[in-house]
Amino acid sequence: MTPYRFVPGTIPLLVSMPHVGTGLPDGLADRLAPAARDLPDTDWHVDALYDFLGGLGASVIVATRSRYLVDLNRPADDASLYPGQTTTGLFPDTTFAGGPVWAKPVTEAERSAFRADIWQPYHDRIAAELARLRDRFGHALLWDAHSIAPVLPRLFDGRLPDLNLGSNGGLSCPPSVARAVLAAAGDDHTAVLDGRFKGGHITRQYGRPAERVLALQLELSQATHLAEGPPPRLDPAKAGALRPVLRRMIETFLSAAADHFATLPPAAPLPESPR
Protein backbone atom coordinates (compact mmCIF):
# COMPACT_ATOMS: atom_id res chain seq x y z
CA MET A 1 0.00 0.00 0.00
CA THR A 2 1.35 3.40 -0.97
CA PRO A 3 1.31 5.94 1.91
CA TYR A 4 -0.99 8.36 0.11
CA ARG A 5 -3.26 9.01 -2.85
CA PHE A 6 -2.45 12.11 -4.86
CA VAL A 7 -4.21 13.97 -7.65
CA PRO A 8 -2.52 17.08 -9.11
CA GLY A 9 -4.74 20.05 -9.80
CA THR A 10 -5.01 23.11 -11.99
CA ILE A 11 -5.46 25.89 -9.42
CA PRO A 12 -3.00 27.17 -6.76
CA LEU A 13 -4.48 25.03 -3.97
CA LEU A 14 -3.38 21.77 -2.35
CA VAL A 15 -5.75 20.08 0.11
CA SER A 16 -4.11 17.65 2.54
CA MET A 17 -5.97 14.97 4.52
CA PRO A 18 -3.34 13.35 6.74
CA HIS A 19 -5.60 11.47 9.17
CA VAL A 20 -8.10 9.78 6.84
CA GLY A 21 -6.03 6.60 6.43
CA THR A 22 -6.97 3.30 8.06
CA GLY A 23 -4.36 0.97 6.53
CA LEU A 24 -2.13 -1.15 8.77
CA PRO A 25 0.71 -3.48 7.68
CA ASP A 26 0.17 -7.21 8.05
CA GLY A 27 0.20 -8.25 11.69
CA LEU A 28 -0.06 -4.75 13.17
CA ALA A 29 -3.83 -4.77 13.63
CA ASP A 30 -3.52 -7.78 15.96
CA ARG A 31 -1.16 -5.79 18.18
CA LEU A 32 -3.58 -2.93 18.79
CA ALA A 33 -5.08 -2.61 22.27
CA PRO A 34 -8.87 -3.09 22.51
CA ALA A 35 -9.43 0.68 22.85
CA ALA A 36 -7.71 1.30 19.51
CA ARG A 37 -8.91 -1.59 17.35
CA ASP A 38 -11.69 0.46 15.75
CA LEU A 39 -9.21 3.28 14.99
CA PRO A 40 -11.34 5.83 16.87
CA ASP A 41 -9.08 8.82 16.18
CA THR A 42 -9.40 8.55 12.39
CA ASP A 43 -10.77 11.56 10.51
CA TRP A 44 -13.73 9.53 9.33
CA HIS A 45 -15.21 10.39 5.91
CA VAL A 46 -13.42 13.72 5.58
CA ASP A 47 -12.45 12.78 2.02
CA ALA A 48 -16.13 12.23 1.19
CA LEU A 49 -17.02 15.66 2.61
CA TYR A 50 -14.56 17.30 0.21
CA ASP A 51 -15.72 15.41 -2.86
CA PHE A 52 -16.21 18.73 -4.68
CA LEU A 53 -12.46 19.41 -4.87
CA GLY A 54 -12.05 17.76 -8.26
CA GLY A 55 -14.61 20.13 -9.71
CA LEU A 56 -12.68 23.09 -8.35
CA GLY A 57 -9.41 21.82 -9.82
CA ALA A 58 -7.59 21.52 -6.49
CA SER A 59 -4.63 19.22 -5.91
CA VAL A 60 -5.45 16.63 -3.25
CA ILE A 61 -3.26 14.37 -1.09
CA VAL A 62 -4.97 11.79 1.13
CA ALA A 63 -3.15 9.51 3.57
CA THR A 64 -3.83 5.78 3.30
CA ARG A 65 -2.12 4.58 6.51
CA SER A 66 -3.50 4.91 10.04
CA ARG A 67 -2.19 7.74 12.18
CA TYR A 68 -1.45 5.15 14.87
CA LEU A 69 1.61 4.11 12.87
CA VAL A 70 3.00 7.63 12.52
CA ASP A 71 1.21 10.96 12.73
CA LEU A 72 1.77 12.95 9.56
CA ASN A 73 0.74 16.16 11.31
CA ARG A 74 3.56 16.02 13.88
CA PRO A 75 7.18 17.11 13.36
CA ALA A 76 9.80 14.47 12.67
CA ASP A 77 11.57 15.29 15.94
CA ASP A 78 8.27 14.80 17.87
CA ALA A 79 8.46 18.27 19.46
CA SER A 80 5.19 19.22 21.15
CA LEU A 81 2.90 21.46 19.11
CA TYR A 82 1.02 22.64 22.20
CA PRO A 83 3.48 22.85 25.14
CA GLY A 84 1.69 22.49 28.45
CA GLN A 85 -1.41 20.93 26.87
CA THR A 86 -2.30 17.28 26.48
CA THR A 87 -1.77 16.05 22.93
CA THR A 88 -0.50 13.00 21.03
CA GLY A 89 2.91 12.55 19.46
CA LEU A 90 4.56 11.43 16.26
CA PHE A 91 4.14 7.78 17.30
CA PRO A 92 0.87 7.73 19.29
CA ASP A 93 0.77 5.41 22.27
CA THR A 94 -2.46 6.81 23.75
CA THR A 95 -5.83 7.42 22.09
CA PHE A 96 -7.53 10.80 22.35
CA ALA A 97 -9.80 9.31 25.02
CA GLY A 98 -6.80 8.16 27.06
CA GLY A 99 -6.68 4.43 26.35
CA PRO A 100 -3.55 2.61 25.15
CA VAL A 101 -3.00 2.28 21.40
CA TRP A 102 -0.81 -0.82 21.48
CA ALA A 103 -1.09 -4.08 23.40
CA LYS A 104 2.31 -4.97 21.97
CA PRO A 105 4.19 -1.71 21.30
CA VAL A 106 5.95 -1.03 18.02
CA THR A 107 9.73 -1.25 18.10
CA GLU A 108 12.22 1.51 17.41
CA ALA A 109 13.08 -0.20 14.14
CA GLU A 110 9.40 -0.19 13.13
CA ARG A 111 9.08 3.47 14.07
CA SER A 112 12.09 4.36 11.95
CA ALA A 113 10.56 2.50 9.02
CA PHE A 114 7.19 4.25 9.46
CA ARG A 115 8.90 7.63 9.49
CA ALA A 116 10.95 6.80 6.37
CA ASP A 117 8.24 4.98 4.40
CA ILE A 118 5.08 6.90 5.39
CA TRP A 119 5.88 10.28 6.96
CA GLN A 120 8.70 11.35 4.66
CA PRO A 121 7.03 10.54 1.31
CA TYR A 122 3.89 12.42 2.36
CA HIS A 123 5.89 15.52 3.23
CA ASP A 124 8.07 15.23 0.15
CA ARG A 125 4.92 15.27 -1.98
CA ILE A 126 3.48 18.29 -0.17
CA ALA A 127 6.74 20.23 -0.59
CA ALA A 128 7.03 19.31 -4.27
CA GLU A 129 3.43 20.17 -5.07
CA LEU A 130 3.52 23.52 -3.30
CA ALA A 131 6.70 24.37 -5.20
CA ARG A 132 5.03 23.38 -8.49
CA LEU A 133 1.94 25.44 -7.75
CA ARG A 134 3.92 28.48 -6.71
CA ASP A 135 6.14 28.26 -9.77
CA ARG A 136 3.06 28.12 -12.00
CA PHE A 137 0.76 30.63 -10.29
CA GLY A 138 3.11 32.88 -8.32
CA HIS A 139 1.72 31.68 -5.00
CA ALA A 140 0.41 28.47 -3.44
CA LEU A 141 -2.23 27.65 -0.84
CA LEU A 142 -2.44 24.69 1.51
CA TRP A 143 -5.65 23.61 3.24
CA ASP A 144 -5.14 20.90 5.87
CA ALA A 145 -8.44 19.07 6.44
CA HIS A 146 -9.23 17.34 9.75
CA SER A 147 -12.05 16.24 12.03
CA ILE A 148 -12.37 15.29 15.69
CA ALA A 149 -15.02 14.24 18.20
CA PRO A 150 -16.90 17.26 19.59
CA VAL A 151 -16.32 16.28 23.23
CA LEU A 152 -12.93 15.00 24.41
CA PRO A 153 -12.33 15.98 28.06
CA ARG A 154 -8.72 14.77 27.93
CA LEU A 155 -7.87 17.27 25.17
CA PHE A 156 -10.17 20.25 25.73
CA ASP A 157 -12.91 21.57 28.00
CA GLY A 158 -16.55 21.64 27.01
CA ARG A 159 -17.81 21.16 23.48
CA LEU A 160 -15.73 22.11 20.46
CA PRO A 161 -17.13 24.67 17.96
CA ASP A 162 -18.26 23.21 14.65
CA LEU A 163 -15.52 24.78 12.52
CA ASN A 164 -12.07 25.34 14.02
CA LEU A 165 -9.87 27.32 11.65
CA GLY A 166 -6.16 27.55 12.43
CA SER A 167 -3.51 29.94 11.07
CA ASN A 168 -0.87 29.43 13.78
CA GLY A 169 -1.80 32.76 15.25
CA GLY A 170 -1.43 34.50 11.88
CA LEU A 171 2.03 33.10 11.15
CA SER A 172 0.94 30.66 8.42
CA CYS A 173 -1.67 32.94 6.82
CA PRO A 174 -2.20 36.71 7.02
CA PRO A 175 -4.97 37.60 9.48
CA SER A 176 -6.97 39.43 6.80
CA VAL A 177 -7.13 36.29 4.66
CA ALA A 178 -7.92 34.01 7.60
CA ARG A 179 -10.67 36.33 8.85
CA ALA A 180 -12.25 36.41 5.40
CA VAL A 181 -12.28 32.60 5.31
CA LEU A 182 -13.81 32.48 8.78
CA ALA A 183 -16.53 34.95 7.78
CA ALA A 184 -17.34 32.76 4.77
CA ALA A 185 -18.43 30.03 7.18
CA GLY A 186 -21.69 31.92 7.64
CA ASP A 187 -24.06 31.65 10.57
CA ASP A 188 -25.33 28.07 10.38
CA HIS A 189 -22.29 26.62 12.16
CA THR A 190 -20.29 27.86 15.13
CA ALA A 191 -16.79 28.84 14.06
CA VAL A 192 -13.57 30.09 15.64
CA LEU A 193 -10.13 31.20 14.42
CA ASP A 194 -7.02 30.03 16.30
CA GLY A 195 -8.91 28.55 19.23
CA ARG A 196 -7.94 25.18 20.70
CA PHE A 197 -6.58 24.06 17.31
CA LYS A 198 -4.24 26.61 15.74
CA GLY A 199 -2.82 24.28 13.11
CA GLY A 200 -0.53 21.29 13.38
CA HIS A 201 2.89 20.63 11.92
CA ILE A 202 1.72 20.70 8.30
CA THR A 203 0.19 24.16 8.68
CA ARG A 204 3.17 25.49 10.60
CA GLN A 205 5.85 23.93 8.40
CA TYR A 206 4.50 24.96 5.01
CA GLY A 207 2.64 28.19 5.73
CA ARG A 208 5.25 30.82 4.81
CA PRO A 209 3.51 34.04 3.77
CA ALA A 210 6.82 35.80 3.04
CA GLU A 211 7.52 33.08 0.45
CA ARG A 212 4.00 33.36 -1.02
CA VAL A 213 2.73 30.12 0.48
CA LEU A 214 -0.28 30.33 2.83
CA ALA A 215 -1.62 27.49 4.96
CA LEU A 216 -4.79 27.00 6.99
CA GLN A 217 -6.03 24.03 8.99
CA LEU A 218 -9.72 23.30 9.41
CA GLU A 219 -10.61 20.98 12.27
CA LEU A 220 -14.25 19.95 11.93
CA SER A 221 -16.31 18.78 14.85
CA GLN A 222 -17.55 15.35 13.80
CA ALA A 223 -21.00 16.41 15.01
CA THR A 224 -21.21 18.42 11.77
CA HIS A 225 -21.22 15.37 9.50
CA LEU A 226 -21.34 12.00 11.32
CA ALA A 227 -24.46 10.12 12.36
CA GLU A 228 -25.07 9.38 16.02
CA GLY A 229 -23.44 6.26 17.48
CA PRO A 230 -20.96 3.70 16.12
CA PRO A 231 -19.82 2.75 13.60
CA PRO A 232 -18.76 6.14 12.19
CA ARG A 233 -21.17 6.85 9.34
CA LEU A 234 -21.63 9.94 7.22
CA ASP A 235 -25.00 11.58 7.88
CA PRO A 236 -26.30 12.59 4.40
CA ALA A 237 -28.34 15.54 5.67
CA LYS A 238 -25.54 16.97 7.80
CA ALA A 239 -22.95 16.43 5.07
CA GLY A 240 -25.23 18.01 2.50
CA ALA A 241 -25.52 21.13 4.65
CA LEU A 242 -21.79 21.28 5.35
CA ARG A 243 -20.34 20.82 1.88
CA PRO A 244 -21.48 24.22 0.54
CA VAL A 245 -19.93 25.86 3.61
CA LEU A 246 -16.60 24.12 3.02
CA ARG A 247 -16.66 25.03 -0.65
CA ARG A 248 -17.44 28.67 0.14
CA MET A 249 -14.60 28.84 2.65
CA ILE A 250 -12.12 27.36 0.19
CA GLU A 251 -13.26 29.63 -2.63
CA THR A 252 -12.84 32.59 -0.30
CA PHE A 253 -9.34 31.38 0.59
CA LEU A 254 -8.48 31.41 -3.11
CA SER A 255 -9.92 34.87 -3.79
CA ALA A 256 -8.67 36.54 -0.59
CA ALA A 257 -5.18 35.13 -1.12
CA ALA A 258 -5.12 36.34 -4.73
CA ASP A 259 -6.04 39.84 -3.55
CA HIS A 260 -3.36 39.70 -0.86
CA PHE A 261 -0.61 38.71 -3.28
CA ALA A 262 -1.66 41.03 -6.09
CA THR A 263 0.64 43.88 -5.06
CA LEU A 264 3.49 41.92 -3.47
CA PRO A 265 6.94 41.30 -4.99
CA PRO A 266 7.92 37.90 -6.46
CA ALA A 267 8.63 35.00 -4.13
CA ALA A 268 11.95 33.67 -2.89
CA PRO A 269 12.87 29.98 -3.47
CA LEU A 270 11.03 27.47 -1.27
CA PRO A 271 12.99 25.37 1.25
CA GLU A 272 13.31 21.65 0.66
CA SER A 273 11.12 19.15 2.53
CA PRO A 274 12.35 18.53 6.11
CA ARG A 275 14.29 15.35 6.75
Side-chain angles (χ1 to χ4, degrees), residues 6 11 15 49 88 96 174 204 220:
F6 172 70
I11 62 174
V15 177
L49 280 177
T88 54
F96 287 168
R204 303 180 194 200
L220 293 169

Side-chain angles (χ1 to χ4, degrees), residues 210-268:
E211 296 164 14
R212 301 179 73 97
V213 180
L214 307 187
L216 289 172
Q217 175 178 296
L218 183 62
E219 188 85 55
L220 293 169
S221 163
Q222 291 176 343
T224 62
H225 56 281
L226 294 188
E228 295 287 339
R233 294 167 291 115
L234 201 64
D235 183 303
K238 290 180 179 180
L242 182 60
R243 282 193 187 95
V245 176
L246 298 177
R247 180 167 185 146
R248 188 167 63 240
M249 293 175 77
I250 285 177
E251 289 175 337
T252 301
F253 190 24
L254 287 160
S255 61
D259 291 343
H260 171 75
F261 286 122
T263 60
L264 295 184

Side-chain angles (χ1 to χ4, degrees), residues 3 7 14 21-23 37 56 63 99 141 148 152 155 162 165 195 221 235 239 245 254 260 263-265 274:
V7 179
L14 170 63
T22 58
R37 285 176 186 163
L56 287 179
L141 309 180
I148 196 168
L152 279 171
L155 298 186
D162 295 332
L165 194 66
S221 163
D235 183 303
V245 176
L254 287 160
H260 171 75
T263 60
L264 295 184

Side-chain angles (χ1 to χ4, degrees), residues 17-21 41-44 63 67 71-74 145-146:
M17 303 182 194
H19 294 154
V20 170
D41 301 328
T42 302
D43 288 3
W44 295 107
R67 69 185 300 167
D71 193 326
L72 300 171
N73 203 27
R74 302 292 184 270
H146 296 262

